[in-house]
Amino acid sequence: METRGRHYMAVGLTGLAVLCGPWMLGSGVSVYSAAVLIAIFAIMAYGLDVIVSDLGEVSLAHTVFFAAGSYTTALLSTRGGVGSAWVTLLAAVLVAICMAALIGFVTLRLREFVFSLVTYALAVVAMTIAANWSFLGGSDGIRGIPMLDLSIPGLTLTARNDRELWPYAFTLLALTIYLIDRFRHSALGAAAIMVHLNPRLATMSGIDPAKVRLQVFLFSAPVSAAAGWLYAYQRAYVSADLLENYFLILMLTAVVLIGRRQLLGPLAATALVLIQEKFFSLGGNVDKMILGSVLVAILAFFPQGLAGLARPLARMWTRRDARN
C-alpha cells in the first residue's frame, strides 16, 4: 500500500508539472501551441502503440482513424450545424469503431509484412479519396470549424485559442494514458501479449487470436480518432494532408523512440520531436528528413529504443559504484 501510494503521488506530481508546464515556460502563444500539439499527437500515437507494442503488428493505417476523427468533426460542426463537441466526439469514436471493424475484419487474419502492406495500401486509398471527393472538401479541405464547445447546462466550457484549449488537451491526454495503463493490466491486454509472443500457446489456452486482434484494433482506433477530433478544433481546418506520411512516421517514431510498452514513451518521444520542430527548426523539409532519419536509426541500431540503450549504461554505472 505504501509503494502504491508513492506511485500515485509521483504520477500526480508529474501530471501537475505537465499541466503547469506552459505557464512555467513563460505562457507564450508558441509554448501553448506546442503543448497542445504534443498532447494531440501523443494521443494519436498511443492508438498505434497498443497495436505495435502489445499486439506485435505494425499498422500503417492508423492515420486513417486520425483523419476519420477530424473529418467527422469537421463535417458535423460545419455542414451539420452541430455545436456540441460532445456530439462530434461521440460521432468520431463511433465512425472509428465502424472503420476499425471493417478494416480489422479484412486485415487482421494477415500477419507481419503482409498485414503492414495491406494497411498501408488502405491509407493510400483513403488519402486519394479524401483529396478528390468533393463531399470531403477535395484538395481544398473543410474550413470554418467553430471553436471547441464542451459546455453543459450551467457550465460554459469553450476554447477559442491554444491557451484555453490546453486544459482540455491535457485532460484527454491524461485519460488516454490511464486507459492504456488499464488495458495493459486487463485480461485483453494479457491475451494480446500472449497472442503476440506465443500464438500457439494462446490457442491451446482457449484464446482466439483473431478475436483478440480485432478487439485490440477496436480499442486502439477510437484513441487515434479522439486525437483527430481535437486536432480539427485546434486547427479549424481539415484536409487530406492528415493522411500524409509525415503523420505516419511521427506515430511510428513516437512508439519506438523511447521504447515499446513504455507508458510515457509516446508522450516523451512526441515532445522531443515537436520541440525540435517548433523551437529548433531547420526548415520543413529538413525537419522531416531528421524525423525519418531518427526512425531509421532507432529501428536499425537501437530496436529497444533509448530506454534499451540506457539500461546497459545504468548497469555499468552501478558496477562502477559497487567497485568504489
Side-chain angles (χ1 to χ4, degrees):
M1 291 295 292
E2 184 179 349
T3 302
R4 185 180 301 177
R6 287 198 298 267
H7 171 74
Y8 287 143
M9 181 177 293
V11 170
L13 291 175
T14 301
L16 182 61
V18 173
L19 176 61
C20 298
W23 175 75
M24 292 187 292
L25 292 173
S27 300
V29 174
S30 60
V31 173
Y32 275 103
S33 176
V36 170
L37 288 176
I38 288 170
I40 291 172
F41 293 150
I43 296 166
M44 174 185 71
Y46 274 111
L48 178 62
D49 186 35
V50 295
I51 299 296
V52 175
S53 301
D54 297 270
L55 204 55
E57 301 288 356
V58 180
S59 169
L60 303 181
H62 265 60
T63 51
V64 175
F65 304 130
F66 178 67
S70 289
Y71 270 106
T72 300
T73 301
L75 290 170
L76 288 177
S77 61
T78 56
R79 300 177 191 174
V82 176
S84 173
W86 293 110
V87 176
T88 56
L89 175 58
L90 177 61
V93 168
L94 291 176
V95 168
I97 290 174
C98 292
M99 294 181 68
L102 179 61
I103 295 174
F105 180 78
V106 173
T107 63
L108 288 176
R109 296 184 182 277
L110 308 174
R111 296 301 306 273
E112 299 176 350
F113 172 74
V114 178
F115 171 79
S116 299
L117 187 62
V118 172
T119 53
Y120 181 72
L122 289 171
V124 172
V125 170
M127 183 174 183
T128 303
I129 292 173
N132 293 279
W133 192 12
S134 59
F135 176 72
L136 298 178
S139 58
D140 295 329
I142 302 173
R143 303 175 183 272
I145 300 171
M147 67 178 179
L148 179 76
D149 187 354
L150 290 167
S151 300
I152 56 178
L155 185 61
T156 301
L157 299 170
T158 59
R160 294 164 295 181
N161 51 52
D162 287 330
R163 184 191 300 270
E164 296 179 359
L165 190 61
W166 167 238
Y168 303 105
F170 172 82
T171 301
L172 185 60
L173 173 63
L175 178 60
T176 298
I177 294 174
Y178 172 78
L179 290 175
I180 298 298
D181 181 62
R182 290 299 87 207
F183 164 78
R184 287 181 173 156
H185 289 86
S186 69
L188 178 59
I193 288 294
M194 186 176 292
V195 168
H196 171 200
L197 298 178
N198 198 330
R200 181 174 297 179
L201 177 61
T203 302
M204 293 173 60
S205 302
I207 297 173
D208 183 350
K211 182 179 179 181
V212 169
R213 291 190 185 101
L214 181 59
Q215 288 174 333
V216 175
F217 214 61
L218 292 174
F219 169 77
S220 71
V223 175
S224 294
W229 164 79
L230 190 59
Y231 191 51
Y233 286 111
Q234 191 270 344
R235 198 184 188 194
Y237 165 66
V238 168
S239 71
D241 67 347
L242 296 174
L243 292 155
E244 287 185 352
N245 286 334
Y246 167 79
F247 291 97
L248 174 60
I249 294 174
L250 177 59
M251 275 196 282
L252 291 170
T253 303
V255 170
V256 303
L257 179 58
I258 304 299
R260 301 176 191 179
R261 286 184 62 81
Q262 300 291 325
L263 184 60
L264 298 181
L267 173 58
T270 303
L272 289 173
V273 171
L274 290 192
I275 287 172
Q276 183 273 315
E277 292 183 355
K278 290 292 182 181
F279 301 105
F280 305 98
S281 175
L282 299 175
N285 291 331
V286 176
D287 289 343
K288 291 179 181 178
M289 291 173 61
I290 292 173
L291 179 60
S293 299
V294 168
L295 179 60
V296 171
I298 289 294
L299 293 176
F301 303 108
F302 309 107
Q304 295 183 343
L306 298 181
L309 178 63
R311 292 189 191 103
L313 296 177
R315 286 196 294 267
M316 290 174 58
W317 188 264
T318 302
R319 294 193 195 102
R320 178 183 174 184
D321 289 344
R323 286 196 299 266
N324 293 335

